[in-house]
Amino acid sequence: MKASVLFVCLGNICRSPTAHGIFKKLVDDAGLNNTVAIDSCGTGDWHLDHAPDKRAQTAALQQGFDLSGLRSRLICQADFIRFDYILVMDKKNLHDVLLLCPEQFKHKCELFLTYANELAVDEVPDPYYGGDDGFEDVIEMIKVASLNLLKEIQAID
Ligand code: 4NP
């Protein structure tokens, strides 16, 4: 395994499953499905074992990303050991994840948009209470960060 990547948001039904599905397709298309492990989870427990929000699924599928098989789960202590990259969507997620994370693994936790310096924003905004546009904006940001993350992982020896 070259790298393992965990995407984290609040509910694990909008942003982190979108990142999971988009990054997985890029990894699969690059022929790296056996060398990069991917998962997603949330810091909040309102939607456990739910499929992604229909609006997130629809927006993603329009661009060829199928999120239908994903199910939400909570972050757990084993995640901090298992994953090399723990990539969160916003600063509240980062705060919540760092509260749970043992000191020696804190360096793994980063804002996902750290990998999208070309964007003027550093957080993926929560689209849950907004309109469909919000879901499309999330996808555009996640695509940029995912392409850069994939390049970084491909450069690992
Ligand atoms: P997510 O969006 O963190 O991108 O999955 C949300 C989903 C559900 C809620 C908030 C954000 N909620 O409050 O139930």
Side-chain angles (χ1 to χ4, degrees):
M1 197 58 59
K2 215 172 194 185
S4 52
V5 179
L6 180 67
F7 296 107
V8 187
C9 65
L10 178 58
N12 192 211
I13 56 167
C14 297
R15 293 165 293 174
S16 60
T18 300
H20 185 160
I22 289 176
F23 191 61
K24 173 150 179 43
K25 180 154 195 314
L26 295 181
V27 163
D28 288 352
D29 289 350
L32 293 174
N33 56 315
N34 289 325
T35 46
V36 182
I38 307 165
D39 201 0
S40 62
C41 66
T43 60
D45 63 1
W46 307 282
H47 302 278
L48 298 183
D49 209 31
H50 284 207
D53 186 288
K54 278 284 175 227
R55 298 165 295 171
Q57 287 200 48
T58 302
L61 200 56
Q62 273 167 2
Q63 299 202 36
F65 305 108
D66 181 4
L67 311 184
S68 64
L70 302 176
R71 294 295 176 267
S72 59
R73 71 168 178 87
L74 259 183
I75 194 164
C76 66
Q77 284 298 316
D79 290 325
F80 296 114
I81 299 167
R82 173 159 170 236
F83 289 95
D84 304 316
Y85 294 84
I86 299 172
L87 302 176
V88 305
M89 300 298 144
D90 64 32
K91 290 172 186 169
K92 176 72 165 70
N93 302 150
L94 189 58
H95 174 82
D96 292 342
V97 164
L98 288 174
L99 280 179
L100 298 170
C101 185
E103 199 60 42
Q104 73 264 37
F105 301 128
K106 284 189 173 164
H107 65 280
K108 298 179 176 186
C109 305
E110 303 174 275
L111 288 168
F112 187 27
L113 293 192
T114 304
Y115 293 88
N117 278 333
E118 55 270 69
L119 299 180
V121 289
D122 56 6
E123 300 180 284
V124 182
D126 185 347
Y128 188 68
Y129 293 107
D132 290 346
D133 284 4
F135 287 83
E136 281 152 29
D137 294 345
V138 162
I139 289 175
E140 291 315 309
M141 294 173 188
I142 285 174
K143 282 199 298 195
V144 173
S146 293
L147 284 167
N148 289 332
L149 175 62
L150 181 59
K151 275 187 214 149
E152 175 171 309
I153 289 174
Q154 281 175 314
I156 298 171
D157 285 332

